[in-house]
Amino acid sequence: MAIGEKLEDIIIDQRFNGPPTSGNGGYVSGLIGQHIDGAAEVSLKLPPPLGTPLNISKIDGDVVLHSGETVYGIGKEASLDVTVPNIEHDSVFDDHPENVKFTPFDTCFVCGDARKIGDGLCIHARPVRGHQGHVGADWELHNSLADARSCVDPVYIWSALDCPGYAACAYGEPALLARMTTKIIRTLKCSGKAFVLGWNAGGSGRKRFCGTAVYDQNCNLVAFSNALWVVVKPEQIAV
């Protein structure tokens, strides 16, 4: 790997796991994407380990999360034109079907049922009644997510855009986030509740595509994303 400009040294804390032994894909993508102005595309190459010193460097114009020669993720500038579905924020949500082969991780930083407000994001996206292929969830904003401006730190916006996409396009399948392209268009005040929307954008073979969006307390669009999830063998995901 070419020698690049070191941007940041990081350690992904256990709090920010997706699968139990690796970082949540949206959170890790945000760590990379925050070093890119405007819309950013982040491709995750390997599950990033927890509690391990890692580097974020600029190499050949890309932003790379790595440890030595091992590359975990690559970010680059992108253009993103997404048509966000018009779904009411006070929609009625249904439960996911119970007869699924695979369910999200209970301890996931974004969607885990075992997390509490202030520890995880507790975004539990469920199907929107009357809108097949769409999911939504309220997001209670905790002060631990705030930056110096009392706005939600962008890395948590990236995080929030992650798991609802899985719930929309791959729920019930063992799948991992492979690529995420995100654009944040306004700040989100860290108070009250936001709303997160996800929708299925099709797929074939092992690939699943989705879109997601975050709205603020006044129903203004804050950020949107599209993503690729890849179905894997269940044993490839540590549980």
mmCIF file of all heavy atoms in Angstrom, residues 138-158:
data_model
loop_
_atom_site.group_PDB
_atom_site.id
_atom_site.type_symbol
_atom_site.label_atom_id
_atom_site.label_comp_id
_atom_site.label_asym_id
_atom_site.label_seq_id
_atom_site.Cartn_x
_atom_site.Cartn_y
_atom_site.Cartn_z
ATOM 1 N N ASP A 138 -38.815 6.243 15.007
ATOM 2 C CA ASP A 138 -38.406 7.455 15.719
ATOM 3 C C ASP A 138 -37.006 7.239 16.274
ATOM 4 O O ASP A 138 -36.605 6.114 16.585
ATOM 5 C CB ASP A 138 -39.372 7.758 16.869
ATOM 6 C CG ASP A 138 -40.729 8.232 16.380
ATOM 7 O OD1 ASP A 138 -40.776 8.883 15.318
ATOM 8 O OD2 ASP A 138 -41.731 7.938 17.056
ATOM 9 N N TRP A 139 -36.277 8.333 16.415
ATOM 10 C CA TRP A 139 -34.921 8.296 16.969
ATOM 11 C C TRP A 139 -34.843 9.334 18.077
ATOM 12 O O TRP A 139 -34.842 10.528 17.816
ATOM 13 C CB TRP A 139 -33.902 8.580 15.873
ATOM 14 C CG TRP A 139 -32.475 8.653 16.321
ATOM 15 C CD1 TRP A 139 -31.938 8.168 17.478
ATOM 16 C CD2 TRP A 139 -31.387 9.258 15.608
ATOM 17 N NE1 TRP A 139 -30.593 8.431 17.534
ATOM 18 C CE2 TRP A 139 -30.231 9.099 16.394
ATOM 19 C CE3 TRP A 139 -31.293 9.918 14.371
ATOM 20 C CZ2 TRP A 139 -28.991 9.587 15.995
ATOM 21 C CZ3 TRP A 139 -30.064 10.401 13.980
ATOM 22 C CH2 TRP A 139 -28.918 10.230 14.769
ATOM 23 N N GLU A 140 -34.811 8.858 19.331
ATOM 24 C CA GLU A 140 -34.711 9.762 20.479
ATOM 25 C C GLU A 140 -33.263 10.223 20.615
ATOM 26 O O GLU A 140 -32.349 9.408 20.780
ATOM 27 C CB GLU A 140 -35.170 9.054 21.747
ATOM 28 C CG GLU A 140 -35.225 9.959 22.958
ATOM 29 C CD GLU A 140 -35.838 9.298 24.169
ATOM 30 O OE1 GLU A 140 -36.579 8.308 23.997
ATOM 31 O OE2 GLU A 140 -35.563 9.767 25.295
ATOM 32 N N LEU A 141 -33.067 11.530 20.576
ATOM 33 C CA LEU A 141 -31.711 12.096 20.540
ATOM 34 C C LEU A 141 -31.211 12.369 21.957
ATOM 35 O O LEU A 141 -31.814 13.133 22.706
ATOM 36 C CB LEU A 141 -31.716 13.379 19.708
ATOM 37 C CG LEU A 141 -32.210 13.191 18.270
ATOM 38 C CD1 LEU A 141 -32.320 14.531 17.560
ATOM 39 C CD2 LEU A 141 -31.292 12.251 17.498
ATOM 40 N N HIS A 142 -30.105 11.740 22.304
ATOM 41 C CA HIS A 142 -29.515 11.848 23.641
ATOM 42 C C HIS A 142 -28.327 12.795 23.592
ATOM 43 O O HIS A 142 -27.624 12.881 22.582
ATOM 44 C CB HIS A 142 -29.076 10.463 24.119
ATOM 45 C CG HIS A 142 -28.634 10.416 25.534
ATOM 46 N ND1 HIS A 142 -27.318 10.570 25.909
ATOM 47 C CD2 HIS A 142 -29.336 10.228 26.683
ATOM 48 C CE1 HIS A 142 -27.227 10.473 27.219
ATOM 49 N NE2 HIS A 142 -28.428 10.259 27.719
ATOM 50 N N ASN A 143 -28.080 13.506 24.686
ATOM 51 C CA ASN A 143 -27.009 14.511 24.686
ATOM 52 C C ASN A 143 -25.618 13.913 24.495
ATOM 53 O O ASN A 143 -24.679 14.624 24.157
ATOM 54 C CB ASN A 143 -27.069 15.370 25.957
ATOM 55 C CG ASN A 143 -26.965 14.573 27.238
ATOM 56 O OD1 ASN A 143 -26.540 13.411 27.225
ATOM 57 N ND2 ASN A 143 -27.364 15.159 28.353
ATOM 58 N N SER A 144 -25.472 12.607 24.675
ATOM 59 C CA SER A 144 -24.171 11.973 24.439
ATOM 60 C C SER A 144 -23.802 11.958 22.961
ATOM 61 O O SER A 144 -22.656 11.680 22.602
ATOM 62 C CB SER A 144 -24.168 10.536 24.966
ATOM 63 O OG SER A 144 -25.086 9.728 24.244
ATOM 64 N N LEU A 145 -24.760 12.283 22.083
ATOM 65 C CA LEU A 145 -24.520 12.293 20.638
ATOM 66 C C LEU A 145 -24.126 13.672 20.122
ATOM 67 O O LEU A 145 -23.839 13.828 18.933
ATOM 68 C CB LEU A 145 -25.782 11.834 19.896
ATOM 69 C CG LEU A 145 -26.399 10.508 20.346
ATOM 70 C CD1 LEU A 145 -27.683 10.239 19.571
ATOM 71 C CD2 LEU A 145 -25.412 9.362 20.180
ATOM 72 N N ALA A 146 -24.096 14.662 21.020
ATOM 73 C CA ALA A 146 -23.907 16.050 20.586
ATOM 74 C C ALA A 146 -22.447 16.398 20.353
ATOM 75 O O ALA A 146 -21.546 15.904 21.044
ATOM 76 C CB ALA A 146 -24.505 16.999 21.627
ATOM 77 N N ASP A 147 -22.236 17.283 19.378
ATOM 78 C CA ASP A 147 -20.912 17.855 19.160
ATOM 79 C C ASP A 147 -20.818 19.189 19.897
ATOM 80 O O ASP A 147 -21.692 19.526 20.716
ATOM 81 C CB ASP A 147 -20.621 18.009 17.660
ATOM 82 C CG ASP A 147 -21.596 18.951 16.947
ATOM 83 O OD1 ASP A 147 -22.329 19.709 17.626
ATOM 84 O OD2 ASP A 147 -21.620 18.930 15.695
ATOM 85 N N ALA A 148 -19.782 19.967 19.630
ATOM 86 C CA ALA A 148 -19.559 21.224 20.351
ATOM 87 C C ALA A 148 -20.648 22.262 20.071
ATOM 88 O O ALA A 148 -20.802 23.218 20.826
ATOM 89 C CB ALA A 148 -18.193 21.793 19.983
ATOM 90 N N ARG A 149 -21.422 22.056 18.996
ATOM 91 C CA ARG A 149 -22.491 22.996 18.640
ATOM 92 C C ARG A 149 -23.855 22.542 19.148
ATOM 93 O O ARG A 149 -24.875 23.138 18.796
ATOM 94 C CB ARG A 149 -22.554 23.160 17.124
ATOM 95 C CG ARG A 149 -21.259 23.629 16.463
ATOM 96 C CD ARG A 149 -21.352 23.475 14.958
ATOM 97 N NE ARG A 149 -21.492 22.064 14.581
ATOM 98 C CZ ARG A 149 -21.790 21.636 13.363
ATOM 99 N NH1 ARG A 149 -21.994 22.513 12.385
ATOM 100 N NH2 ARG A 149 -21.891 20.338 13.104
ATOM 101 N N SER A 150 -23.874 21.498 19.953
ATOM 102 C CA SER A 150 -25.114 20.890 20.440
ATOM 103 C C SER A 150 -25.953 20.304 19.306
ATOM 104 O O SER A 150 -27.177 20.212 19.392
ATOM 105 C CB SER A 150 -25.957 21.899 21.241
ATOM 106 O OG SER A 150 -25.259 22.311 22.400
ATOM 107 N N CYS A 151 -25.256 19.910 18.240
ATOM 108 C CA CYS A 151 -25.883 19.192 17.132
ATOM 109 C C CYS A 151 -25.392 17.744 17.152
ATOM 110 O O CYS A 151 -24.349 17.437 17.723
ATOM 111 C CB CYS A 151 -25.535 19.843 15.798
ATOM 112 S SG CYS A 151 -26.201 21.507 15.587
ATOM 113 N N VAL A 152 -26.167 16.859 16.541
ATOM 114 C CA VAL A 152 -25.755 15.462 16.473
ATOM 115 C C VAL A 152 -24.473 15.361 15.648
ATOM 116 O O VAL A 152 -24.397 15.860 14.524
ATOM 117 C CB VAL A 152 -26.862 14.597 15.851
ATOM 118 C CG1 VAL A 152 -26.383 13.152 15.691
ATOM 119 C CG2 VAL A 152 -28.119 14.641 16.712
ATOM 120 N N ASP A 153 -23.459 14.731 16.227
ATOM 121 C CA ASP A 153 -22.201 14.525 15.509
ATOM 122 C C ASP A 153 -22.477 13.756 14.217
ATOM 123 O O ASP A 153 -23.221 12.770 14.231
ATOM 124 C CB ASP A 153 -21.238 13.733 16.403
ATOM 125 C CG ASP A 153 -19.835 13.682 15.857
ATOM 126 O OD1 ASP A 153 -19.655 13.197 14.719
ATOM 127 O OD2 ASP A 153 -18.904 14.100 16.562
ATOM 128 N N PRO A 154 -21.905 14.187 13.094
ATOM 129 C CA PRO A 154 -22.188 13.518 11.816
ATOM 130 C C PRO A 154 -21.941 12.017 11.813
ATOM 131 O O PRO A 154 -22.623 11.278 11.094
ATOM 132 C CB PRO A 154 -21.260 14.236 10.833
ATOM 133 C CG PRO A 154 -21.100 15.604 11.409
ATOM 134 C CD PRO A 154 -21.079 15.399 12.898
ATOM 135 N N VAL A 155 -20.987 11.533 12.602
ATOM 136 C CA VAL A 155 -20.728 10.091 12.606
ATOM 137 C C VAL A 155 -21.958 9.326 13.084
ATOM 138 O O VAL A 155 -22.219 8.191 12.628
ATOM 139 C CB VAL A 155 -19.487 9.748 13.465
ATOM 140 C CG1 VAL A 155 -19.764 9.929 14.949
ATOM 141 C CG2 VAL A 155 -19.005 8.331 13.175
ATOM 142 N N TYR A 156 -22.778 9.941 13.942
ATOM 143 C CA TYR A 156 -23.992 9.267 14.412
ATOM 144 C C TYR A 156 -25.123 9.371 13.395
ATOM 145 O O TYR A 156 -26.033 8.527 13.391
ATOM 146 C CB TYR A 156 -24.416 9.841 15.763
ATOM 147 C CG TYR A 156 -23.365 9.658 16.837
ATOM 148 C CD1 TYR A 156 -22.883 10.745 17.560
ATOM 149 C CD2 TYR A 156 -22.835 8.399 17.106
ATOM 150 C CE1 TYR A 156 -21.898 10.582 18.530
ATOM 151 C CE2 TYR A 156 -21.856 8.225 18.071
ATOM 152 C CZ TYR A 156 -21.393 9.320 18.785
ATOM 153 O OH TYR A 156 -20.416 9.159 19.738
ATOM 154 N N ILE A 157 -25.086 10.376 12.555
ATOM 155 C CA ILE A 157 -26.053 10.433 11.453
ATOM 156 C C ILE A 157 -25.766 9.314 10.465
ATOM 157 O O ILE A 157 -26.675 8.613 10.007
ATOM 158 C CB ILE A 157 -26.037 11.820 10.785
ATOM 159 C CG1 ILE A 157 -26.532 12.883 11.785
ATOM 160 C CG2 ILE A 157 -26.897 11.821 9.521
ATOM 161 C CD1 ILE A 157 -26.522 14.285 11.246
ATOM 162 N N TRP A 158 -24.482 9.133 10.129
ATOM 163 C CA TRP A 158 -24.113 7.986 9.302
ATOM 164 C C TRP A 158 -24.601 6.686 9.956
ATOM 165 O O TRP A 158 -25.146 5.813 9.286
ATOM 166 C CB TRP A 158 -22.598 7.918 9.123
ATOM 167 C CG TRP A 158 -22.012 8.794 8.071
ATOM 168 C CD1 TRP A 158 -21.766 10.136 8.158
ATOM 169 C CD2 TRP A 158 -21.550 8.398 6.770
ATOM 170 N NE1 TRP A 158 -21.188 10.594 6.993
ATOM 171 C CE2 TRP A 158 -21.035 9.546 6.125
ATOM 172 C CE3 TRP A 158 -21.514 7.175 6.096
ATOM 173 C CZ2 TRP A 158 -20.502 9.505 4.846
ATOM 174 C CZ3 TRP A 158 -20.978 7.124 4.810
ATOM 175 C CH2 TRP A 158 -20.483 8.287 4.198
#
